Structures are given as C-alpha cells and as structure tokens.
Amino acid sequence: MVVAAGALLALAACGAGSSNGGSPTASDVGITKDTITLGATVPLSGPAAAYGTIAKSSEAYFNYVNDHGGVHGRKIKYLYLDDAYNPAQAVPLTKQLVEQDQVFATFGGLGTQNQTSVQQYLNAKKVPQIFVATGATTFAAGESADGTKYKYTFGWQPVYQGEAYLYAQYLLKNLPNAKIGVIYQNDDYGQDYLNGLKKGLGSHQSMIVDTQNNDATATDLSSQIIHLKGSGADTFMIFETPTPSIISLITANAIGWHPQIFLNSVSAPIPYVQIAEAKAKDPASVNGLLSVNYLKDPISPQFASDPGITLYKQVMAQYYPAGKVSDAFNIYGMATAWSMVDALKNAGVNPTRSSLLDALNNLNEPHNPFLLPGITIMNTPSNHYSITQEEITKYDAAAGDYTPVSGILNFRGKVKFP
C-alpha cells in the first residue's frame, strides 16, 4: 500500500519540465527560495461552514507534499481565511492576502458570489485565481480572442450548468414524461443550475411545471416545497447548498411528497444525505435520489484497494486526523490540491505568475488519482472548464452508498455556456 501511494506522489511530481531552470530563487511575489505562498477565503463559519473542510484537506495534501520534498524543493504555505460565506468579508480578506500577505496566487477560494466579488480585482492585479471551489460558468470561460475574459481565473470542478445539462439529458432519455419542480438558491449559484437544466431540456422546457427559490440562509422551506407538490411535479430538482438541501429532503418527506429526486453534487456527499435520512427518520426520504459524481468514493467497497484512496486515507490519517474520511468534500480538497501541485511543478524551478498561467492553460491530467477512471482534467487558454465528465449515480439507502446508473457522460462541446 505504501509503495502504491509513493508511486502516486512520483506521478504528481513529474511535470513538463522547467521553463526557467536553475537553482530555486525568489522569482516572483509569494515565491522565495524556500516557500510558495498561496491563499484563499473560505467559509469556516456561517451557513456554508460544511465546506470549510475542503481547505483543510487541501492543506493536508500540501503538508504531505512538503514532507516529501516539496515542489522543486520549496514548501507550500497555504493561508486560508474565514469569510463566513459572505462577499462583504471575502473582498477585504482577499485584498489582505494579496497586498499584505503577498500570496503568489489564490487557490481554492470558495463560493460563487464570494469569488465573483473578487474576480475583477484579482485579474486586474494579475494574481492567478486558481481552482475556485464553485462551478459557476464565469470562472471557466478563459480568455477570449480580444482578451476581454478573465484569463487569470480557473475553474476546476464541472460547471453547474453542465451538471444540470446532464440531468436534463438523463430525463429526456429515461423519464421523458416527467413533470419537474425545482427549488434553487436565489443567487448566481442557483440560477446557473436552473439555466443549465433549461438548456439541456431545449424545446422540452415545458416539462418544468414550477420553480421556487430561497435565500442561502433560509431555515424553513415549507411554503416552497408545498407549492412544488401542489404543482403536480413528480420530479424534484434540488439546486441548493448542503443545509437547505437537507431541509428540502426532510420537508418533502414530512408532507408526504415522494417524487424522483435529483440532488446537486455539492449537496450529495453521503454524510449529508444520511443526516437528512436520520432527521426525517425515514429511508424513503433519500432512497433512490439521483446525483452525479466524478470523484472516487473513499468509503465505497469498489475502491477499497485503490491506490488513490489508499493515498487519500494515508494523508488524512497523518495530516488531518480530525477530518472525516467519508466526507466527499475532503477528497475534493485533496484532488484540487493534487492538480495545484502538478501545475506548480509544470511552472518551472523558479515559477512566475506568467509561467504558472502557461502551465494552467495547458493542463492535461488524465491520471489525477482521486478522480474516477476515465475522467481527464484539461484546459486551453480559451477554455478553463477543466472537468466536463461525470456519471449519474443513484443512492441506495439500505446500502448507504451510490451506484452508477450511467457511463461517463461528457458535456464538453455539446452546449454553449456564457
């Protein structure tokens, strides 16, 4: 097992070679001969505090890399600050990271609204905004021919519109007579999902019989869920963050509404589904719900001896023992950190923001050890969509696990996003 994990580290360490060779020197802001400083704002508190573990698992992987030679001999220093999922806090904290802490790049900043609020600032400062923890399309467009897009911004996870597009395609193929009711967060995050669903349905948008929205901090969704049930919907799309998703599942069950549920991926990790089941006191509240996945499941028997999961568990045990191995947010954090290390390796012995940009624009990772087999991370200067492949999965409450119900699906090139 240890040998396999070591082999994976070697894979992560091998880059495309140095574009600026020689001994390590202080080559740019945030780079010394010994360290690379990255930063982010994340919700360690507030309504989306469940996401805070992502930065901690990324940090765990960075510490693992640091203890195994670092990146061209440098150790990664990762500064993440609590913005409580509030854009008004994200803005000054991001400026602090850039202007006081002198970060080389931001990495893993979380939240659609939060990262949108600092996107223009970071690009104006020519500070790379790397692998934002949001699937909003604005972070994936790359640089247009006239240079008007945000060329310093890079997404990583599949965009929300792409995910919803795949749900629509699944419905058209398998449930063509579905009557769809949608609940979504009333901001760019939720609207992205709704837009993707409509694009996927195309001329069949009349399948959507009702939509309801809510604030991210809402604690009672009774009126929305009752309205959706009353619309005659037999298919329930939940486009929320984890807490309101749990509330939605519990409420639907409480009013005796048992539609086919589609739960967006950021709210679908098994621990959160099981919280909903426990609070509803009824397996039927979650049994059979559909979602998507592109990451390996660390607690699934099919990956029990997988080298990537072996490495994941090893890193978690040593560097983040308080974290839950079962939490999919943790393997997400580690997977993004793996890609960050890979890009830093490819940026050269003495990286600059420019050389890092080149590495990210030409990223091609078919073997990230934490992703499902067959899923490739790929960027070009005009396309920062990174991951465009996912599989549809169904939750089995009795087994406490998801089972794939489709092969790997790909939305790259099949739908135009703004």
Side-chain angles (χ1 to χ4, degrees), residues 69 130 137 156 187 218 251 418:
I130 303 172
T137 54
W156 188 84
D187 57 16
T251 304

Side-chain angles (χ1 to χ4, degrees), residues 12-354:
C14 65
S18 171
S19 61
N20 46 6
S23 300
T25 63
S27 53
D28 208 336
V29 175
I31 301 290
T32 72
K33 66 181 183 64
D34 300 313
T35 60
I36 300 170
T37 302
L38 305 175
T41 71
V42 299
L44 300 176
S45 63
Y51 292 141
T53 195
I54 293 172
K56 297 176 182 179
S57 59
S58 292
E59 181 182 39
Y61 186 73
F62 291 149
N63 287 336
Y64 169 77
V65 170
N66 290 344
D67 285 347
H68 290 78
V71 179
H72 295 305
R74 291 186 181 86
K75 296 194 177 204
I76 298 172
K77 182 179 179 181
Y78 187 34
L79 308 175
Y80 52 93
L81 308 178
D82 182 16
D83 61 21
Y85 204 58
N86 184 347
Q89 295 184 44
V91 172
L93 290 175
T94 298
K95 289 182 177 179
Q96 175 186 321
L97 288 167
V98 172
E99 297 169 18
Q100 296 179 34
D101 298 314
Q102 298 280 291
V103 297
F104 178 53
T106 64
F107 160 78
L110 192 142
T112 299
Q113 296 297 112
N114 289 21
Q115 292 304 300
T116 300
S117 70
V118 299
Q119 186 177 24
Q120 185 171 354
Y121 166 78
L122 291 170
N123 276 261
K125 289 285 188 180
K126 298 183 178 180
V127 178
Q129 184 183 23
I130 303 172
F131 302 152
V132 290
T134 161
T137 54
T138 185
F139 303 112
E143 183 181 12
S144 61
D146 60 4
T148 56
K149 295 292 183 181
Y150 297 111
K151 69 177 182 179
Y152 286 89
T153 298
F154 292 82
W156 188 84
Q157 69 193 74
V159 294
Y160 302 140
Q161 286 198 32
E163 177 184 338
Y165 174 86
L166 295 181
Y167 292 145
Q169 295 296 292
Y170 182 88
L171 279 169
L172 291 173
K173 180 179 179 181
N174 298 283
L175 298 167
N177 297 315
K179 297 177 181 178
I180 305 168
V182 182
I183 191 166
Y184 65 99
Q185 192 164 296
N186 188 23
D187 57 16
D188 290 347
Y189 162 80
Q191 191 64 52
D192 242 4
Y193 271 110
L194 183 57
N195 289 345
L197 178 65
K198 290 179 177 179
K199 288 179 181 180
L201 291 174
S203 61
H204 301 278
Q205 290 183 28
S206 60
M207 291 171 67
I208 302 174
V209 296
D210 192 22
T211 62
Q212 297 288 311
N213 61 62
N214 56 273
D215 293 336
T217 56
T219 57
D220 185 354
L221 301 175
S222 303
S223 62
Q224 290 95 329
I225 305 297
I226 290 171
H227 200 283
L228 288 169
K229 180 185 179 184
S231 73
D234 57 19
T235 301
F236 184 23
M237 293 279 177
I238 302 177
F239 297 151
E240 302 275 3
T241 48
T243 297
S245 289
I246 291 170
I247 294 171
S248 296
L249 291 167
I250 295 169
T251 304
N253 189 72
I255 65 172
W257 186 37
H258 298 289
Q260 173 59 62
I261 297 170
F262 286 76
L263 180 61
N264 60 325
S265 62
V266 296
S267 300
I270 290 172
Y272 301 102
V273 173
Q274 291 179 335
I275 288 172
E277 179 182 354
K279 290 188 175 182
K281 299 179 181 179
D282 186 357
S285 61
V286 297
N287 190 51
L289 69 80
L290 296 168
S291 189
V292 293
N293 192 28
Y294 56 96
L295 293 161
K296 292 174 181 174
D297 182 348
I299 61 174
S300 175
Q302 68 175 307
F303 296 115
S305 59
D306 179 84
I309 296 302
T310 299
L311 175 61
Y312 166 72
K313 291 178 178 178
Q314 174 188 336
V315 174
M316 289 292 291
Q318 185 171 356
Y319 297 96
Y320 185 20
K324 295 181 180 179
V325 168
S326 61
D327 193 336
F329 292 152
N330 285 326
I331 196 164
Y332 169 91
M334 204 171 293
T336 58
W338 192 95
S339 291
M340 183 73 246
V341 170
D342 190 37
L344 287 169
K345 289 284 184 181
N346 291 341
V349 172
N350 291 310
T352 63
R353 286 170 173 168
S354 178

